[in-house]
Amino acid sequence: MKVDVVSYRPAPDELSYTFGGREPVRRVKPGTVLELYTEDCFGGRVQNVDDLPSVVCEFPYLNPVTGPIHVEGAEPGDTLAVHFVEIVPARDWAVSSTFPHFGALTGTHTTAMLHAPLDELVWRYDVDRTKGTVRYRARRSDYTVELPLDPMHGTAGVAPAAFESRMTIVPDAHGGNLDTPELRAGVTAYFGVNVPGALFALGDGHCRQGDGEVCGTGVEAAMNTTVILDVIKGVATPTPRFETDTALMSAGSARPLEDAYRMSQHDLVTWTAGLVGLDVLDAYQLISQAGEAPVGNVCDPNYTMLAKVGKRYLGGAEAYEGMHSRLRTAAAEFSRGR
Amino acid sequence: MKVDVVSYRPAPDELSYTFGGREPVRRVKPGTVLELYTEDCFGGRVQNVDDLPSVVCEFPYLNPVTGPIHVEGAEPGDTLAVHFVEIVPARDWAVSSTFPHFGALTGTHTTAMLHAPLDELVWRYDVDRTKGTVRYRARRSDYTVELPLDPMHGTAGVAPAAFESRMTIVPDAHGGNLDTPELRAGVTAYFGVNVPGALFALGDGHCRQGDGEVCGTGVEAAMNTTVILDVIKGVATPTPRFETDTALMSAGSARPLEDAYRMSQHDLVTWTAGLVGLDVLDAYQLISQAGEAPVGNVCDPNYTMLAKVGKRYLGGAEAYEGMHSRLRTAAAEFSRGR
Amino acid sequence: MKVDVVSYRPAPDELSYTFGGREPVRRVKPGTVLELYTEDCFGGRVQNVDDLPSVVCEFPYLNPVTGPIHVEGAEPGDTLAVHFVEIVPARDWAVSSTFPHFGALTGTHTTAMLHAPLDELVWRYDVDRTKGTVRYRARRSDYTVELPLDPMHGTAGVAPAAFESRMTIVPDAHGGNLDTPELRAGVTAYFGVNVPGALFALGDGHCRQGDGEVCGTGVEAAMNTTVILDVIKGVATPTPRFETDTALMSAGSARPLEDAYRMSQHDLVTWTAGLVGLDVLDAYQLISQAGEAPVGNVCDPNYTMLAKVGKRYLGGAEAYEGMHSRLRTAAAEFSRGR
Amino acid sequence: MKVDVVSYRPAPDELSYTFGGREPVRRVKPGTVLELYTEDCFGGRVQNVDDLPSVVCEFPYLNPVTGPIHVEGAEPGDTLAVHFVEIVPARDWAVSSTFPHFGALTGTHTTAMLHAPLDELVWRYDVDRTKGTVRYRARRSDYTVELPLDPMHGTAGVAPAAFESRMTIVPDAHGGNLDTPELRAGVTAYFGVNVPGALFALGDGHCRQGDGEVCGTGVEAAMNTTVILDVIKGVATPTPRFETDTALMSAGSARPLEDAYRMSQHDLVTWTAGLVGLDVLDAYQLISQAGEAPVGNVCDPNYTMLAKVGKRYLGGAEAYEGMHSRLRTAAAEFSRGR
């Protein structure tokens, strides 16, 4: 079978700053392999420790995404499947920073306090794709250490429902800035489709990220990313879900953080009850003992948590009728063919 | 001085369900008196106790607003002043209801729980504009009691910043579904302008509402409402603010509720510090002892609280250079002229 | 009828710093009038603007209470009624302050942030009992203004259940540091009894307080306070409740603040349903339109909100079989007799 | 070196239901090996699916702990180190349950709602210590699956500060019901000492637990547990900390959940800054990229999160001057000697 491959690197003025409210930049068929370039969350403007984000970036031109991509045949009520084949840092450096009144251990716009902002500092990391590491260097001492490279996308999703258009910084039911390290290569993400064509967009690559992105930013990097898109007709998905070879995950985005936990666990409980044929309270019990709760972000306009469970505890039940396996196979074929 | 008066009653297909993302229905000059008809939050479809909202209403066609109104000369960075001259229930009845998984004492989409929804019930109120009352009637017994009529708008605001479009059910920095009983006749509301023309819209009248709108709805009613719009050039307003003859108020909308409290108190502290010429910590102390914290909603996608302080404690400082007094005078002249 | 009157002014080493875990300082019969002296939250050590609380006070010797008082015949499952006859500032001055990492607009022990503390400042107020005012004076400018005197107790309650002993700074089901301006003279407070004798204690007088006590302290003052205690046998009270001549109130103490709101509204809904003979959903609707939500504190280890409703909307229902009226009468007789 | 070994199995009437407020059951020297039997959270009363906890258990006699143990020489300001040598299920069965108004996906006492409770159900697990598994069996279908045995203690800690006594169900700065799967054999836990002798107690064994204990209970089991206690003189510990051969962890317990996240991350950032000699913002950045955030409980009176970082990212820094290594060695020697 011949696979459609579409490569797309947006010009700077093609970058998008919302989910929803924008015309598609490309139209593709289900099954298409997309090779996308994504800019980093600072639009590439922070390159050195002296490039302060609050100086070189301008609101609301932050956290650009590549897209939106119209997927033919995707209609409201369907599900868009996005398999992440590869996520490769585009440069040999990456950056992170504090940002005034942003992050989990600082007063913010919403957790409003009378303190002056924390110092705005930039950290520049060396990225070694061969070794699979990034190098942290302290700014105020000589300490340095290598951390494993673990590339991921902080921002991925589709146009929201109800005629909404949301800043890319917001995670919600449509996806958006989930900022979870679970969104790495090998994962299939599922998003409920709200508008014709789904309007998928992608951005905010991180070379790696700690749980919660506590200072507000990961190891931010432009990425060359390959995904395969497909559409599951007639099956709705209420909140973003992920599938790997070994696990199922549901994402919840809300404040306070316990509501993100509740939403994600609630979806995983009811979803797996359906997949396994369990009573809901039986699924509640099973997830209570077998479930995990990876933390996404605790710094964005909504916080994000995931609920996760090993497929081996679910008796071989398949989500979305085996979509992940099929996309995994397609990805392997595509990779072999390159 | 001759005042422009614009009357507008939207046809059903002219109702709007978002702030942002829509073309204006009217263009007016600053100083214009607007006579607006607003439909109730159910679009008028719930008229009797057997009209269950979840049956007769269809998502996302909920909480319609009248507008948006383009105000000439309003530019990003300006402030829109909206003086509420009169809010009059349009019918001799109004309704309230529970709604599945909506309200403060029920599991919801975000505070996700495994419980079945509470019973969906509708209460129909008699509205007596002459006596100034609404009559509550219990559904499951004969108990009945009159409550004072205190008309207000739950939803008022302008188009959001950052290319966003938001459902009318959401309160945020642009206004929206604040659901506070403080938004009654006699108040001047101030909204920061984010897009050319501001794009003001109004809806969700309540004959009255308890603090927090605990079951999720007020005494919902169509309204005939008169406002006067004006523009304060070159002065930004970070969050919705209200002014009466005797008090200043700041609104904060966020979750958890303490963040709505923090945002509103933070804005009132820093705003009054500037108005009175106080050090910020001195204003913090003064508001700590003289301030009030009226609760708006504790049921919408963001919760809303107000911070309020009597002008008499502020040494006669004027907000926005006396805009409220001028609009109050204009309103009196307009009312006399009718 | 002869009334027992007990006057008690604790020596400094008799002050208590917990609810629970301490022997009673006095034993009284139901119906006793208690004349109590209470020290301010700083133990009287902060007298001038140079007395920084973090220097002159020592943890955990903060927020002392007078008591506990053993009330004869009070047993677990009963309710203690405490009618506040009079709350009179004991001095002609009072103080307020910021305190490092305490308050609503600062990073705290729990809302942990990396900011240095805000400046620690003390404000000294003149108290004029004749005029009924306190005078605010800015620290960093000449601004000064009079605020109405409105004396209240921040801290009142009984020993907790389940063998617990809690710092007086904590509000919870046993009462404690509710910090609500609604606890003023004329109110009857009801506390569920958890241990034999109830072990009532009282402290933390404020000459007045804004909603939420946003900076963390009110206008703190020693008080001479008169209460009448009584016991309602065989009637449990799940959370502190207040009654005035015109209103009923339930207190909820929890974090996040929406849970304090939920707890207080839930108790008021179910309590009034029982009093009026309403179905619970009918009461939910009535409180939704007629209820208020006065904010207590948004700075203590638990936040406190009240739910409040006018008795006139409840068809003349009496709480606790008229206890408030009887204590009101007893208080009037006692006052006449003095 | 001869090691003191103390074995203790409490009689039913020796079980404790608080941290603080109780006399010690044993006094031991630092370095003592303690062999403790702990009852399960139901006091062993729930043995079959028909033993409903709300029927067979009586408040407040829930979640019993074994202790308290007085450790000689431990004084306020010191740190108690507790190395977990072994945690072995005492029976070949264990239980879990829903409980009315307890758990994360149900209305509770604090997240108060008008719903009837979810069904109360008990699940009984087979425990196979040889295979290292527990067997889950659905109640309402035939589904069954084995889960790995991963024994842990939900409840461990010392007497609180400030004359407090707390129910064992509460996690806070003194430890208590942290309910984290990280508290397994091989870990050294550190608790700040608040009273002479520290008064250590232990209970609430789980054969395993999912992240957050979403239904409110783990796979509850009586345990035979071996710990070694030691005292670090003159070093305070502000919040419970854990150390393994490869990682350091800080626990935070609070509501809302983001505050538990903030407290744990704040402690890890400032602790590791001190250990590595980093500026605090440099440590903030390092933890932001290298840190993990294991979820403890999202169902208890306070929620618990941990912040965790691999020691390999900290340049070989040692916590508490190598206490974990020394206890690890002592544990190995003791185990060899048995």
Side-chain angles (χ1 to χ4, degrees), chain B residues 199-263:
Chain B
L199 299 183
F200 173 74
L202 183 69
D204 191 26
H206 300 167
C207 290
R208 68 171 286 115
Q209 174 200 312
D211 288 347
E213 216 185 0
V214 59
C215 82
T217 52
V219 182
E220 307 287 339
M223 293 287 176
N224 288 304
T225 293
T226 305
V227 299
I228 309 183
L229 299 176
D230 212 336
V231 176
I232 302 154
K233 293 297 296 179
V235 179
T237 292
T239 200
R241 293 171 176 168
F242 301 157
E243 184 172 0
T244 67
D245 294 353
T246 58
L248 298 181
M249 291 174 250
S250 296
S253 296
R255 290 191 179 196
L257 188 57
E258 55 262 39
D259 275 2
Y261 176 81
R262 285 174 179 133
M263 290 170 81

Side-chain angles (χ1 to χ4, degrees), chain D residues 179-217:
Chain D
D179 275 330
T180 166
E182 298 286 349
L183 197 50
R184 54 172 69 91
V187 165
T188 303
Y190 302 101
F191 301 102
V193 177
N194 301 301
V195 303
L199 298 183
F200 173 73
L202 183 69
D204 191 25
H206 299 168
C207 290
R208 67 170 289 113
Q209 175 201 312
D211 288 348
E213 215 183 1
V214 60
C215 82
T217 52

Side-chain angles (χ1 to χ4, degrees), chain A residues 295-306:
Chain A
V295 176
N297 88 78
V298 193
C299 58
D300 294 323
N302 288 320
Y303 304 140
T304 301
M305 286 186 81
L306 271 64

Side-chain angles (χ1 to χ4, degrees), chain A residues 96 104 123 125 136 139-140 143 148 208 210-212 214-215 217 257-258 261-262 282 285 288-289 291 293 313 315, chain D residues 96 104 123 125 136 139-140 143 148 208 210-212 214-215 217 257-258 261-262 282 285 288-289 291 293 313 315:
Chain A
S96 188
W123 289 262
Y125 287 77
Y136 162 90
R139 287 294 311 280
R140 291 170 169 173
Y143 187 74
R208 67 171 289 116
D211 287 349
V214 61
C215 82
T217 52
L257 188 57
E258 54 263 39
Y261 177 82
R262 286 174 177 133
D282 275 329
Q285 172 61 210
S288 291
Q289 312 312 339
Y313 302 131
Chain D
S96 188
W123 289 262
Y125 286 77
Y136 163 91
R139 287 293 311 279
R140 291 171 168 170
Y143 188 74
R208 67 170 289 113
D211 288 348
V214 60
C215 82
T217 52
L257 188 57
E258 56 262 38
Y261 176 82
R262 285 175 177 133
D282 275 329
Q285 171 62 211
S288 292
Q289 311 313 339
Y313 302 131

Side-chain angles (χ1 to χ4, degrees), chain D:
Chain D
M1 193 183 84
K2 177 86 169 37
V3 173
D4 285 335
V5 180
V6 172
S7 295
Y8 174 59
R9 178 178 176 127
D13 65 353
E14 287 178 311
L15 291 170
S16 183
Y17 299 91
T18 57
F19 285 89
R22 253 205 93 187
E23 290 302 300
V25 295
R26 290 288 184 280
R27 289 174 177 264
V28 303
K29 293 194 184 112
T32 300
V33 173
L34 273 173
E35 296 175 328
L36 300 173
Y37 174 87
T38 63
E39 215 8 294
D40 69 32
C41 71
F42 302 114
R45 285 190 186 82
V46 178
Q47 301 180 2
N48 291 293
V49 296
D50 297 326
D51 299 330
L52 296 189
S54 70
V55 174
V56 301
C57 298
E58 185 194 2
F59 178 84
Y61 303 98
L62 287 166
N63 204 38
V65 290
T66 296
I69 310 290
H70 179 108
V71 185
E72 291 177 11
E75 295 292 333
D78 298 341
T79 291
L80 180 71
V82 184
H83 182 70
F84 286 81
V85 181
E86 204 176 60
I87 305 175
V88 181
R91 303 167 182 138
D92 61 2
W93 56 268
V95 289
S96 188
S97 79
T98 49
F99 191 87
H101 296 307
F102 193 73
L105 300 185
T106 172
T108 64
H109 171 64
T110 46
T111 307
M113 311 219 147
L114 296 172
H115 301 277
L118 300 176
D119 288 354
E120 186 175 4
L121 284 181
V122 171
W123 289 262
R124 183 177 153 128
Y125 286 77
D126 303 325
V127 178
D128 189 328
R129 279 162 294 198
T130 312
K131 273 180 80 177
T133 59
V134 295
R135 176 162 290 281
Y136 163 91
R137 294 180 200 282
R139 287 293 311 279
R140 291 171 168 170
S141 66
D142 293 334
Y143 188 74
T144 177
V145 66
E146 283 187 338
L147 307 175
L149 187 64
D150 184 14
M152 53 162 279
H153 278 280
T155 307
V158 295
F163 320 119
E164 284 208 314
S165 169
R166 307 297 306 274
M167 281 189 288
T168 54
I169 199 82
V170 179
D172 210 326
H174 67 283
N177 197 27
L178 303 166
D179 275 330
T180 166
E182 298 286 349
L183 197 50
R184 54 172 69 91
V187 165
T188 303
Y190 302 101
F191 301 102
V193 177
N194 301 301
V195 303
L199 298 183
F200 173 73
L202 183 69
D204 191 25
H206 299 168
C207 290
R208 67 170 289 113
Q209 175 201 312
D211 288 348
E213 215 183 1
V214 60
C215 82
T217 52
V219 181
E220 306 288 338
M223 294 286 175
N224 288 302
T225 293
T226 306
V227 300
I228 309 182
L229 299 176
D230 211 337
V231 177
I232 303 154
K233 293 296 298 178
V235 179
T237 292
T239 200
R241 293 171 177 168
F242 300 157
E243 184 172 359
T244 67
D245 294 352
T246 57
L248 298 180
M249 292 173 251
S250 296
S253 296
R255 290 189 179 197
L257 188 57
E258 56 262 38
D259 275 2
Y261 176 82
R262 285 175 177 133
M263 290 171 82
S264 59
Q265 297 283 327
H266 185 278
D267 187 65
L268 189 66
V269 165
T270 51
W271 182 25
T272 57
L275 289 176
V276 181
L278 284 174
D279 174 84
V280 167
L281 289 184
D282 275 329
Y284 190 30
Q285 171 62 211
L286 180 57
I287 297 300
S288 292
Q289 311 313 339
E292 297 166 64
V295 175
N297 87 78
V298 192
C299 58
D300 295 322
N302 287 320
Y303 302 140
T304 301
M305 287 186 81
L306 272 65
K308 180 177 181 177
V309 67
K311 291 179 180 179
R312 65 183 155 150
Y313 302 131
L314 303 178
E318 290 217 321
Y320 298 102
E321 300 191 335
M323 175 58 81
H324 172 73
S325 298
R326 287 197 302 280
L327 291 176
R328 199 80 165 115
T329 303
E333 282 172 14
F334 170 74
S335 297
R336 262 197 308 277
R338 271 207 291 206

Side-chain angles (χ1 to χ4, degrees), chain C residues 134-256:
Chain C
V134 295
R135 176 163 289 282
Y136 162 91
R137 296 179 199 282
R139 287 293 313 278
R140 291 170 170 173
S141 65
D142 292 334
Y143 187 75
T144 177
V145 66
E146 283 186 339
L147 307 174
L149 187 64
D150 184 14
M152 54 163 278
H153 277 281
T155 307
V158 295
F163 320 118
E164 283 206 316
S165 169
R166 307 297 305 277
M167 281 189 287
T168 54
I169 199 83
V170 179
D172 211 328
H174 66 283
N177 197 28
L178 303 166
D179 274 330
T180 166
E182 299 285 349
L183 198 49
R184 55 171 69 91
V187 166
T188 303
Y190 302 101
F191 301 101
V193 177
N194 302 300
V195 303
L199 299 184
F200 172 73
L202 183 69
D204 191 25
H206 299 167
C207 290
R208 68 171 286 115
Q209 173 200 313
D211 288 348
E213 215 184 1
V214 60
C215 83
T217 52
V219 181
E220 307 287 339
M223 293 286 175
N224 288 303
T225 292
T226 306
V227 300
I228 309 183
L229 299 176
D230 211 336
V231 176
I232 302 153
K233 292 297 298 178
V235 179
T237 292
T239 200
R241 292 171 176 168
F242 301 155
E243 184 173 0
T244 67
D245 294 353
T246 57
L248 298 180
M249 292 173 250
S250 296
S253 296
R255 292 190 178 195

Side-chain angles (χ1 to χ4, degrees), chain A:
Chain A
M1 193 184 86
K2 177 86 169 38
V3 174
D4 285 333
V5 181
V6 172
S7 295
Y8 174 59
R9 178 180 177 126
D13 65 353
E14 287 178 309
L15 291 169
S16 183
Y17 299 92
T18 57
F19 284 89
R22 253 205 93 188
E23 291 301 302
V25 295
R26 289 288 184 281
R27 288 171 178 267
V28 303
K29 294 195 185 111
T32 299
V33 174
L34 272 173
E35 297 175 327
L36 300 173
Y37 174 87
T38 63
E39 216 7 293
D40 68 33
C41 73
F42 302 114
R45 286 191 185 83
V46 178
Q47 302 181 1
N48 292 292
V49 296
D50 297 326
D51 299 330
L52 296 189
S54 71
V55 174
V56 300
C57 298
E58 184 194 1
F59 178 83
Y61 302 99
L62 288 166
N63 204 39
V65 290
T66 297
I69 310 290
H70 180 109
V71 185
E72 290 176 13
E75 294 292 332
D78 297 341
T79 291
L80 180 71
V82 184
H83 182 71
F84 287 80
V85 182
E86 202 177 61
I87 305 175
V88 181
R91 302 169 182 136
D92 61 1
W93 56 268
V95 288
S96 188
S97 80
T98 50
F99 191 87
H101 296 308
F102 193 74
L105 300 184
T106 172
T108 64
H109 171 64
T110 47
T111 307
M113 311 219 145
L114 295 173
H115 300 278
L118 300 176
D119 289 353
E120 187 175 3
L121 284 180
V122 172
W123 289 262
R124 183 176 154 128
Y125 287 77
D126 303 324
V127 177
D128 189 329
R129 280 162 291 196
T130 311
K131 274 179 80 176
T133 59
V134 295
R135 175 162 289 281
Y136 162 90
R137 294 178 200 283
R139 287 294 311 280
R140 291 170 169 173
S141 66
D142 293 334
Y143 187 74
T144 177
V145 66
E146 283 186 340
L147 307 174
L149 187 63
D150 184 13
M152 54 163 278
H153 278 280
T155 308
V158 296
F163 320 118
E164 284 206 318
S165 169
R166 306 298 306 275
M167 281 190 287
T168 53
I169 200 83
V170 179
D172 210 326
H174 66 282
N177 197 28
L178 303 166
D179 275 331
T180 166
E182 298 285 349
L183 196 50
R184 55 171 68 92
V187 166
T188 303
Y190 301 101
F191 301 101
V193 177
N194 302 301
V195 303
L199 299 183
F200 172 73
L202 183 69
D204 191 27
H206 299 167
C207 290
R208 67 171 289 116
Q209 175 201 311
D211 287 349
E213 215 183 2
V214 61
C215 82
T217 52
V219 181
E220 308 287 338
M223 294 286 176
N224 288 303
T225 292
T226 305
V227 300
I228 309 183
L229 300 176
D230 211 337
V231 176
I232 302 154
K233 292 298 297 179
V235 179
T237 293
T239 199
R241 292 172 176 168
F242 301 155
E243 183 172 0
T244 68
D245 294 353
T246 58
L248 298 180
M249 292 174 250
S250 295
S253 296
R255 292 189 177 196
L257 188 57
E258 54 263 39
D259 275 2
Y261 177 82
R262 286 174 177 133
M263 292 171 81
S264 59
Q265 298 282 327
H266 185 278
D267 187 65
L268 189 65
V269 165
T270 52
W271 182 25
T272 57
L275 289 175
V276 181
L278 285 173
D279 174 84
V280 166
L281 289 183
D282 275 329
Y284 190 30
Q285 172 61 210
L286 180 56
I287 298 300
S288 291
Q289 312 312 339
E292 299 167 63
V295 176
N297 88 78
V298 193
C299 58
D300 294 323
N302 288 320
Y303 304 140
T304 301
M305 286 186 81
L306 271 64
K308 180 177 181 177
V309 68
K311 291 179 181 180
R312 66 186 154 148
Y313 302 131
L314 304 178
E318 291 218 321
Y320 298 103
E321 301 191 335
M323 175 59 81
H324 172 74
S325 297
R326 287 198 301 281
L327 291 177
R328 199 80 166 116
T329 304
E333 282 172 13
F334 170 75
S335 295
R336 263 198 306 278
R338 271 211 290 208

